[in-house]
């Protein structure tokens, strides 16, 4: 059986780290990419993933990833998890520097990686039957919300890369997959978005029964990559049950409506 290799970005924490662990458990070779070399070293020691420290906003670093992979062996899957949000401002109050950062890490990093790694994905597909380009976007790419405009725009831009790439690769055995999570509780995402205010970040999740975890998203990513080669999961939108829509979030215990205990 062919041993398949995935490049997982954003692997120093959250969904990226969980994805690297999930794929290793399923027998994949994993190259874990992120900026923080110390975090990657811990992941490498724990899982056997191969660590590669790089900044995806740097053309030089992305070229170095491609060169490293050329020497390592076939690349069957690009799993682009890296990204992020800064600020929760109204459009009129948004900081241009924050918006530029979000566009660079969510949109331009995706384009850089595709341009650099698509030749290797094509070779792996020709050799072993198929390859994958998987992008973790967000439900923020699908529905705008007040205070989310910069992130909405950035994630929608990344989603459009996936949609266009799928059309451009028509006729090739390369699946383009988009996973769009809703509310996910991770150690860093919301705190980073709110400038390191961990108390404010915790309030986002107050009273929400069982928000998604990084492991939940990683499990769906692994399923998509391990699905039969002819099956493409174009778009998977996943949310916790407590989040019926981007703007509709239940706080407090979930309970079934009954005659004895109707909802208020």
């Amino acid at each position: 059986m062919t041993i398949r290799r995935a490049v997982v970005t954003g692997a120093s924490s959250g969904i990226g780290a969980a994805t690297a662990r999930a794929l290793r458990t399923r027998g994949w070779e994993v190259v874990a990419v992120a900026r923080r070399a110390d975090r990657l070293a811990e992941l490498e020691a724990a899982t056997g993933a191969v660590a590669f420290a790089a900044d995806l906003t740097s053309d030089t670093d992305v070229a170095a990833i491609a060169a490293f992979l050329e020497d390592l062996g076939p690349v069957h899957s690009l799993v682009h998890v890296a990204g992020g949000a800064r600020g929760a401002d109204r459009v009129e109050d948004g900081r241009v520097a924050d918006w530029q950062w979000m566009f660079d890490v969510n949109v331009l990093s995706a384009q850089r990686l595709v341009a650099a790694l698509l030749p290797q994905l094509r070779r792996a597909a020709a050799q072993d039957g198929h390859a994958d380009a998987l992008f973790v976007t967000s439900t923020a790419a699908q529905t705008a919300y007040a205070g989310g405009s910069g992130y909405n725009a950035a994630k929608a831009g990344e989603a459009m890369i996936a949609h266009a790439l799928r059309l451009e690769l028509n006729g090739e055995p390369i699946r383009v997959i988009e996973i769009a999570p809703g509310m996910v509780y991770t150690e860093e995402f919301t705190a980073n978005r709110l400038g390191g205010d961990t108390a404010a970040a915790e309030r986002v999740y107050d009273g929400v029964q069982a928000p998604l975890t990084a492991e939940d998203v990683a499990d769906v990513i692994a399923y998509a990559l391990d699905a039969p080669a002819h099956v493409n999961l174009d778009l998977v939108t996943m949310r916790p049950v407590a989040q019926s829509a981007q703007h509709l979030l239940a706080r407090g215990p979930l309970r079934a409506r009954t005659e004895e205990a109707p909802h208020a």
Side-chain angles (χ1 to χ4, degrees):
M1 185 175 68
T2 300
I3 300 297
R4 301 184 71 81
R5 179 175 290 108
V7 177
V8 179
T9 71
S12 61
S13 66
I15 295 170
T19 299
R21 291 192 295 266
L23 291 179
R24 287 294 295 142
T25 298
R26 291 172 176 242
W28 283 72
E29 296 292 329
V30 172
V31 178
V33 177
R35 289 178 294 106
R36 293 177 289 184
D38 56 337
R39 291 285 194 98
L40 291 179
E42 294 172 4
L43 181 68
E44 185 175 56
T47 67
V50 176
F52 192 95
D55 180 351
L56 300 181
T57 68
S58 164
D59 292 340
T60 300
D61 281 15
V62 172
I65 295 170
F68 175 76
L69 293 169
E70 287 282 5
D71 294 334
L72 194 62
V75 177
H76 300 90
S77 294
L78 166 62
V79 183
H80 186 38
V81 182
R86 279 188 181 172
D89 303 316
R90 294 162 58 96
V91 174
E92 63 188 301
D93 301 320
R95 296 179 64 249
V96 170
D98 288 344
W99 284 50
Q100 286 178 330
W101 181 86
M102 285 188 282
F103 194 82
D104 206 4
V105 301
N106 292 290
V107 181
L108 295 182
S109 65
Q111 189 277 331
R112 288 185 185 98
L113 286 164
V114 170
L117 300 187
L118 188 54
Q120 297 187 48
L121 292 172
R122 282 184 165 127
R123 288 200 298 272
Q127 174 180 308
D128 296 319
H130 77 282
D132 305 291
L134 186 149
F135 302 86
V136 176
T137 61
S138 170
T139 54
Q142 303 170 5
T143 305
Y145 55 94
S149 54
Y151 189 57
N152 290 142
K155 279 303 184 185
E158 183 183 357
M160 284 298 120
I161 288 177
H163 298 178
L165 182 64
R166 188 178 300 114
L167 301 179
E168 292 167 358
L169 297 181
N170 180 249
E172 299 189 54
I174 301 176
R175 304 184 298 190
V176 179
I177 301 162
E178 180 187 354
I179 309 295
M183 176 178 273
V184 183
Y185 184 89
T186 62
E187 59 182 313
E188 294 183 327
F189 177 85
T190 303
N192 287 342
R193 181 176 196 171
L194 299 179
D197 187 339
T198 55
E202 287 298 320
R203 287 195 293 272
V204 171
Y205 304 96
D206 277 351
V208 178
Q209 182 176 321
L212 297 180
T213 66
E215 288 72 25
D216 292 331
V217 183
D219 185 57
V220 173
I221 291 170
Y223 175 85
L225 296 182
D226 280 341
H230 68 285
V231 176
N232 191 89
L233 301 184
D234 283 18
L235 169 62
V236 178
T237 299
M238 54 185 299
R239 309 178 196 271
V241 174
Q243 187 183 34
S244 299
Q246 195 74 8
H247 64 285
L248 186 58
L249 186 65
R251 297 186 187 273
L254 301 177
R255 64 189 190 278
R257 183 190 297 271
T258 65
E259 291 183 4
E260 293 78 17
H263 281 292

